[in-house]
Amino acid sequence: MRLGWLIVFALMTVLAILSFSKALKKKIGILSLGAKDERFDNPNQRFMNFVKLVLGQSKLINEPYGVVHFIIFWGFIFICLGELPLIFEGLFPAYSFPILGTNRYFYMIKDLMTALVIVGLCFGLIRRWVIKPAHLSRTPEAAIIVSLIFGVIVTEWIGSGAKVALDPSSSVYSLAIMYQSFATLFSGLSTHTLEVIESAFWWIHMLIVFGFLVYIPNSKHMHLLAVHPNTYFSSLKPIGGQIEKIDLEDEELTELGVNRIESFTWKQLLDSFACGECGRCMNNCPANISGKPLNPKRLISRQLKDHLLEKGAVLNAKGLTSTSDENADALAEIAENDPQAAEILQKSLIGDIVSEEEIWACTTCMSCQVQCPVANEHVNKIINMRQSLVMMDSNFPQELQTSFRNVENNANPWGIGYTERANWASDLDVKLISEQENVDYLFWVGCAGSFDSRAQKVTVAVSKILKAAGINFAILGTEEKCCGDFVRRSGNEYLFQTAAIENVEILNNYNVKKIITTCPHCLNTLKNEYPDFGGNYEVIHHTQFIDQLIKDGKLVLNSKAEFEPQRIVYHDSCYLGRYQQEFNSPRALFNMVPGVELVEMDRHHNKSFCCGAGGGRMWLEEQNDQRVNNLRVEQALDKNAEVIGANCPFCITMMEDGIKDKVDTEKQTVKVLDPAELIAKMIS
């Protein structure tokens, strides 16, 4: 290549890299506004998360159309690798690029993968613009990206086809079908014409590649860059233990929760850049599906990101790091001299960007987060905003005010006198831990299991099973208090910490090491959140424990027990399923019962649909046409079952309430049962 053209190429390269770097630096500057977050521990585990989620596409490969994305992803990697010999040999035609440029098998694989990318893109175009699923946006940005990818591939095929036609004897490209096809298409053209085609399309290709490079950090496809650090820095904590403890004793702490975009951590801000807007979160969000205003995709990729970019640009331009009170003088000066910038800085995250209705709609079911292929962490952002509403503004639904007060006064959300907590056990000879030494297990009954008449039936059944198996267990009785699950997820961190500290002190005083509970919410809190307060316990759900007792031969069931044949459709609770990844034990117990035909709902296991009670929603009213539990009951009734199987007291309540709304109980009886209720009837 002539010196003049080399200079032109060098200038193009420098300009593209400078433009790319400038845009990337701007984004990093905006991310740096976020609060500190220690995400640099355990590099080996973090790297494996990156390999699994990005290189392995583990969250996508089993999804509908996931294979298409897998092919496009890996095809794009081979396209990028192919750019190395293409650029080098275009600049220095007399030389071959080492290794890749001389390997015909590389070109064969690259050629095949590139062709599959074209097929995948065509499939994606049809899906997005013809089938038009609601979760996929049809924006100019999407069209530009697809056009650029098409342009990169086709121009390279044409230019390389001309190159092959100029030297058909070369064996390097002999296995590249697309190169050979275009070479055949060009057969009969003069050498000069082929040289012009090769050169022209090489330059066109380079312009498109550089345009792509410049466009990526300035578009929604910033996620192509952000997904790599986002997966690497994803939380290593259990999914149920990711709420960060607020140091309420920190006298310098002036803000509780988040009501300014820059108060989120840098990782929470990075989430918005990593979002690829695939829509899997919104397709699995019970709030969104039931018609509530919350849409997790829109929240992350539009509301928070657009506000972050707008406000972050102004903060950086003005040399500020936040709009907190410590910058009051600077903000006053901006308001006087730059009204447009002041208007942007004065926008409130809660109210102007995210509505209170959206914030309170979340059930904390974690489906959005579990389904997200790029490791975005949606739920904690909502909890952080709830914390601001509750602890800074005292602004929350009236129903929660009642529940909070009940926990404060009687250590349970029902408000029933705490002295009645152990009344369910009055005729069962269940021991109190205060009266028993060397107890192997504490049976943590929970508020529902203690006070709710329906949940008490499960509590009694489990107690009978434990006694039949000869388990040395006891309960706290009136010393047990609300674990604080719904309190924390409703944003009242202060009340939660008060409950947690009191409970941990009691448990540690009795030297409790192992806990059995019937409530998945209590299970998650005791297991994953109490360690932050000095409470480290081995906590197990009753279905897991009973299943193991039977497998170990410690609990013998009556093989002659008779039951009416019953078709049971099983409902995975969010807090045992997604939170603990326990799916097998409840199913195993149901399958041990004679006459049971166990069937699955369409949404099951990690894609199970929430009952609607989590995140404090148990205590909030909702419109009849937006009831999450009614939707779940409809999904169950579609399976023509006599029984809905459940493993959580809140799920049982919500399912039974839904049945009352959906079933004519005078003509049809649909029960909701915990497997322990059936197993208890099989005790020898």
Side-chain angles (χ1 to χ4, degrees), residues 360 394-405 619-620:
W360 291 112
S394 295
N395 178 14
F396 46 91
Q398 180 60 42
E399 303 100 311
L400 283 179
Q401 173 64 60
T402 301
S403 299
F404 291 160
R405 188 181 302 114
W619 315 105
L620 299 179

Side-chain angles (χ1 to χ4, degrees), residues 515-534:
I515 299 175
I516 304 166
T517 182
T518 60
C519 178
H521 295 257
C522 294
L523 166 65
N524 179 69
T525 300
L526 295 170
K527 177 181 178 181
N528 293 322
E529 297 184 335
Y530 275 24
D532 282 344
F533 302 90

Side-chain angles (χ1 to χ4, degrees), residues 506-519:
I506 293 170
L507 293 171
N508 289 351
N509 282 342
Y510 286 119
N511 198 30
V512 171
K513 300 297 182 184
K514 298 180 180 181
I515 299 175
I516 304 166
T517 182
T518 60
C519 178

